[in-house]
Amino acid sequence: MDNSKAGHGLIQWHGTTIVGVKKGGKTVIAGDGQVSMGNTVMKPNARKVRRIGEGGKVIAGFAGATADAFTLFERLERKLETHRGQLLRAAVELAKDWRTDKYLRNLEALMIVADAETLLVLTGNGDVLEPEATESGTITAIGSGGNYALAAARAVSDYEEDAEKIARRAMAVAAEICVFTNDRVTVESIG
């Protein structure tokens, strides 16, 4: 998918790799800091992972068009308020709006969101995906370096128990391979 152009022909700013790891009672979302416009690095230290919702009980990270992602963060925060912090319900309601609303359905971003119990991937197609839990934990990744981060996290999770160490190693591998991912990592955790 060519993420460099919006439907109206303007070049979009993009943020790329996010990984989510749930293991040992701890959930971590990590993301790189690179924002690209076409093939140019515009900002190396963007913060694409943050706490949202009342009391920061939800963590979220985005990959895709930066302005679009901020719009989705705001919408998810409103849904969390409406549904009293119930992440799954708020995510489903956001996904419905994202799929059906004329303005929202043109947004180009993916999100990984989590609270103490749940780890989800949200897409503009109206998908709310819960990654499969295995003996090694629950792992998901999105963005241009997502497949690299996912593979690395799965490999490391077989012998590493700390969710944050898994996420950081996965991001380091993605940064070494993906030109749209850098090594300036932001990590948020719950648990």
Side-chain angles (χ1 to χ4, degrees):
M1 178 167 110
D2 179 10
N3 288 331
S4 63
K5 297 185 182 190
H8 44 53
L10 298 176
I11 294 176
Q12 291 283 304
W13 296 46
H14 289 278
T16 42
T17 305
I18 305 293
V19 64
V21 179
K22 184 175 180 172
K23 186 170 185 174
K26 186 176 181 181
T27 303
V28 173
I29 297 179
D32 74 305
Q34 184 168 308
V35 174
S36 303
M37 189 165 83
N39 292 329
T40 304
V41 175
M42 297 303 292
K43 185 172 181 170
N45 60 345
R47 188 168 171 84
K48 297 181 255 178
V49 176
R50 60 189 54 201
R51 290 184 174 279
I52 61 173
E54 187 177 326
K57 294 179 183 175
V58 173
I59 52 178
F62 73 87
T66 306
D68 293 354
F70 287 124
T71 299
L72 293 168
F73 275 150
E74 290 172 8
R75 295 283 181 124
L76 181 58
E77 280 193 290
R78 280 188 252 152
K79 296 292 183 185
L80 285 165
E81 288 172 13
T82 302
H83 298 291
R84 294 187 295 265
Q86 297 175 27
L87 178 59
L88 184 57
R89 187 159 180 209
V92 167
E93 292 302 316
L94 175 64
K96 284 182 193 175
D97 289 352
W98 196 353
R99 187 184 74 242
T100 60
D101 183 272
K102 272 184 168 180
Y103 170 73
L104 290 178
R105 75 173 152 230
N106 291 318
L107 300 183
E108 296 180 18
L110 294 169
M111 297 176 72
I112 296 178
V113 297
D115 62 13
E117 295 82 38
T118 309
L119 178 65
L120 303 168
V121 176
L122 308 179
T123 77
N125 294 328
D127 299 317
V128 177
L129 308 169
E130 189 167 10
E132 179 182 11
T134 68
E135 291 176 13
S136 298
T138 304
I139 301 169
T140 192
I142 57 174
S144 62
N147 287 337
Y148 308 122
L150 180 63
R154 284 184 177 171
V156 172
S157 70
D158 285 340
Y159 61 86
E160 177 59 62
E161 293 303 314
D162 185 279
E164 184 171 335
K165 287 181 181 177
I166 295 167
R168 286 186 181 279
R169 184 63 191 134
M171 290 302 301
V173 169
E176 291 172 3
I177 299 169
C178 178
V179 297
F180 295 108
T181 302
N182 72 13
D183 60 0
R184 296 191 187 175
V185 176
T186 301
V187 177
E188 290 289 348
S189 64
I190 294 176

